Amino acid sequence: MSAIRALNLRATASSAVKASKLSLPKRTLATPVNTNLYTPVLPAKIPAALHLKSGQSYHGHSFGSENSKFGETVFSTSITSYTDSMTDPSYLGQILVFTSPMIGNYGVPSNSSAPGYPGIPFLESDKIQCTGVVVSDVALKYSHYQAVESLHEWCKRYDVPGITGVDTRAITSLLRDQGTTLGRLAVGDEAAKPAPSAGEYWDPSTENLVAQASTKQPYVLNAQGKGPRIALLDFGTKANILRSLVKRDAVVTVLPWDYDFNAVRDQFDGLFLSNGPGDPKQIMETAYRVRTTIDEWDKPIFGICMGHQVLGLAAGLEAYRMTFGNRGHNQPVLALASSGSIKAGRVYVTSQNHQYALKLTEDFPEGWAPFFINCNDSSVEGIISTPESGKRVWGVQFHPESAGGPLDTIEMFSDFVDECHAGKTGGSAMIADEVKIGGHDGKAAAQVSAHL
């Protein structure tokens, strides 16, 4: 009887499944019908060429703007989140080569502020920041429930040229071998002309790109928040850094890159140094002011990417230009110290976008220790103040806030906000006796680096 009962139950369940399948509504595409998916705006067949200062040229077709542009040619290994990458201010002045073969398949969303985050764009800034885009195959039709326009329409609206139909694998291999290279994305009649002479290429690294990317006036986010008051020096901050702080109810005052924070520092519970484009040595005056802040102030300081490099310069470390930098969502870093949510000895997968890095030396400045090291190239991925320094300072080269990429280290924002909220003075209980690379000796870190 039990066997018959089991068969009956199975038959009843099977009938219910069939009935439920029959009652399901007809599936539709994710993109709303009022978008241009069904009547896409297609670019005309206009020739385009990518010319590199090193002598190579690649020919394809144009999308986006029909204006030619100069820039520094770099590549990103990220396979998704092209809208976040293109709006990241750290890409200012750069021609961005995507290694992922198809770009644009889920279109571009509206950049209006998300609910709960007024004054912060949905993407990483209020416009496209890169100078040009290079893809193997651009998707002119797209499907996503948040999409409002195609990549072609978006680039055209912001006067950013793109080239498609080129071998991005070959370009990436070349850039890995010879390093990031100055380039020109030529469109239309310009594509048929000879490549520019060496002296005609524009080098964005010679300019203060931070000054171009930074806010021009201070402004406050989440003014009614109950959390700590945090000042953020804007070197070209990603919007998700702002969201990550506001989400934790911090009151965030965003200041221009050259603002004299020391004149107002007593109004705040912590200082945040954001990411940004270009060479950190272009803003040495800010690094000198940050050094004064570290010496005279006893509250928490956290720096990301450019902010990390500024902290390093302030501490006495050297910054150098990498061959091709690290840009992508898949960079592994090894934690050399424990601090808050970070545990020494663990490998974290991170999102990165930088051309410059801090130099790893055997003798770190007194009061500082390596925090993270890159598992691929042994570059310094973080620095931390030691317990005996009496300071609470952290800097990381990667992006804990992601957007896009992994969220392995997102809780570093909670660590920082909690530390600011605690209102402690002097050394931090969060890192006391937990720095595994002791004192100012970087030899252990160098030995770890040699084995990676």
Side-chain angles (χ1 to χ4, degrees):
M1 289 296 291
S2 59
I4 294 173
R5 188 179 296 108
L7 286 172
N8 289 336
L9 287 172
R10 256 190 239 118
T12 302
S14 176
S15 300
V17 169
K18 288 179 181 178
S20 65
K21 285 183 178 178
L22 292 173
S23 63
L24 286 174
K26 184 178 179 181
R27 184 177 178 181
T28 59
L29 290 171
T31 307
V33 295
N34 61 346
T35 70
N36 290 327
L37 173 65
Y38 302 102
T39 56
V41 178
L42 303 179
K45 284 284 186 179
I46 298 174
L50 173 66
H51 299 299
L52 301 181
K53 187 178 179 180
S54 51
Q56 299 82 7
S57 293
Y58 301 87
H59 295 269
H61 290 97
S62 163
F63 67 92
S65 172
E66 296 178 16
N67 293 319
S68 302
K69 297 289 180 71
F70 286 96
E72 182 180 34
T73 311
V74 304
F75 67 89
S76 170
T77 59
S78 58
I79 61 174
T80 186
S81 305
Y82 54 83
T83 52
D84 301 280
S85 294
M86 291 171 63
T87 52
D88 181 351
S90 293
Y91 278 114
L92 185 64
Q94 296 179 335
I95 297 173
L96 178 55
V97 180
F98 285 104
T99 60
S100 185
M102 178 178 282
I103 298 293
N105 54 308
Y106 52 84
V108 178
S110 167
N111 205 15
S112 300
S113 300
Y117 301 100
I120 305 176
F122 181 76
L123 298 174
E124 294 312 295
S125 68
D126 60 0
K127 62 181 180 180
I128 300 177
Q129 298 286 346
C130 59
T131 297
V133 186
V134 182
V135 304
S136 175
D137 183 13
V138 66
L140 300 176
K141 293 185 178 181
Y142 57 90
S143 180
H144 193 277
Y145 76 101
Q146 291 179 310
V148 297
E149 61 185 331
S150 69
L151 181 61
H152 161 64
E153 295 167 302
W154 190 45
C155 287
K156 189 176 183 67
R157 190 156 57 86
Y158 282 103
D159 193 26
V160 174
I163 182 172
T164 184
V166 294
D167 189 347
T168 52
R169 295 171 299 175
I171 299 171
T172 300
S173 295
L174 180 73
L175 296 177
R176 283 184 65 89
D177 291 340
Q178 69 183 28
T180 55
T181 305
L182 301 183
R184 187 188 192 220
L185 214 168
V187 180
D189 294 340
E190 297 289 323
K193 294 180 180 179
S197 63
E200 292 181 280
Y201 285 92
W202 170 60
D203 186 355
S205 67
T206 62
E207 299 186 9
N208 185 347
L209 299 177
V210 167
Q212 299 176 32
S214 176
T215 182
K216 303 302 182 285
Q217 297 293 332
Y219 62 94
V220 179
L221 296 169
N222 194 33
Q224 305 305 315
K226 299 295 190 286
R229 297 160 299 169
I230 295 174
L232 183 145
L233 282 183
D234 178 16
F235 302 140
T237 186
K238 289 175 63 180
N240 206 37
I241 288 178
L242 303 176
R243 282 191 292 267
S244 297
L245 294 171
V246 168
K247 181 179 180 180
R248 290 157 176 81
D249 209 23
V251 180
V252 182
T253 301
V254 182
L255 303 172
W257 70 278
D258 57 349
Y259 195 91
D260 185 8
F261 171 72
N262 289 313
V264 297
R265 66 191 185 199
D266 291 339
Q267 301 175 23
F268 297 97
D269 302 307
L271 172 64
F272 196 102
L273 308 178
S274 84
N275 67 293
D279 185 347
K281 293 179 183 177
Q282 291 282 357
I283 56 170
M284 282 301 298
E285 57 189 282
T286 296
Y288 294 140
R289 282 196 290 266
V290 170
R291 178 183 296 175
T292 299
T293 305
I294 295 171
D295 290 343
E296 300 177 356
W297 209 47
D298 57 10
K299 294 181 181 178
I301 304 173
F302 187 20
I304 286 178
C305 199
M306 175 64 76
H308 156 75
Q309 294 165 17
V310 168
L311 281 175
L313 292 174
L317 291 166
E318 180 183 346
Y320 68 98
R321 181 182 173 87
M322 305 177 76
T323 303
F324 51 82
N326 289 327
R327 298 176 179 87
H329 303 159
N330 50 2
Q331 287 290 327
V333 302
L334 173 65
L336 302 177
S338 294
S339 175
S341 60
I342 302 301
K343 305 305 177 187
R346 177 179 168 183
V347 172
Y348 297 85
V349 181
T350 65
S351 177
Q352 299 192 19
N353 177 12
H354 64 102
Q355 183 69 54
Y356 294 82
L358 297 178
K359 187 175 182 180
L360 178 62
T361 62
E362 289 192 355
D363 294 313
F364 247 57
E366 186 174 358
W368 296 89
F371 193 4
F372 294 90
I373 195 166
N374 191 293
C375 297
N376 289 332
D377 58 25
S378 300
S379 58
V380 176
E381 290 286 353
I383 58 175
I384 189 170
S385 57
T386 58
E388 58 267 28
S389 72
K391 302 296 180 181
R392 293 175 285 166
V393 185
W394 310 265
V396 293
Q397 184 62 72
F398 52 85
H399 286 270
E401 81 288 351
S402 184
L407 296 171
D408 287 27
T409 55
I410 186 67
E411 286 306 310
M412 293 191 77
F413 282 94
S414 298
D415 297 339
F416 174 65
V417 171
D418 290 346
E419 194 69 10
C420 292
H421 199 280
K424 301 174 184 176
T425 58
S428 169
M430 195 167 82
I431 64 171
D433 301 323
E434 292 187 330
V435 176
K436 304 303 181 184
I437 305 297
H440 59 277
D441 183 6
K443 284 186 179 180
Q447 290 170 358
V448 170
S449 169
H451 289 89
L452 289 177

